[in-house]
Amino acid sequence: MSGGAPTHAIWHIRDREGKKAFWTEIGVGFTNRDGSIALKLNLVPIDGGMIVVKPLEPRDGPGGRDWRDRED
């Protein structure tokens, strides 16, 4: 794995009936020289789904922007 900063964020998505889905960050990804992505997970969910995304910018801690702040 690369010794650099993570290039991706990994999120667990749990749908909730009648409410917005609940998102939890569960790990990070690192882009390798060959273009593949190595994943480092803090946990593996048994329900819901996962998504791997590129963050907008590095996080500075609580309150930092992430990919969901985009207006696509």
Side-chain angles (χ1 to χ4, degrees), residues 2-25:
S2 166
T7 56
H8 292 74
I10 306 169
W11 294 84
H12 169 247
I13 308 159
R14 181 180 303 143
D15 290 324
R16 300 183 304 163
E17 196 168 318
K19 299 179 182 178
K20 290 178 75 172
F22 188 77
W23 292 68
T24 305
E25 188 171 10

Side-chain angles (χ1 to χ4, degrees), residues 2-58:
S2 166
T7 56
H8 292 74
I10 306 169
W11 294 84
H12 169 247
I13 308 159
R14 181 180 303 143
D15 290 324
R16 300 183 304 163
E17 196 168 318
K19 299 179 182 178
K20 290 178 75 172
F22 188 77
W23 292 68
T24 305
E25 188 171 10
I26 61 170
V28 294
F30 300 84
T31 302
N32 298 315
R33 283 180 277 205
D34 66 359
S36 63
I37 301 172
L39 305 178
K40 183 174 181 182
L41 297 171
N42 296 324
L43 61 88
V44 178
I46 58 172
D47 63 340
M50 289 189 293
I51 186 169
V52 178
V53 297
K54 284 190 167 197
L56 276 179
E57 57 193 41

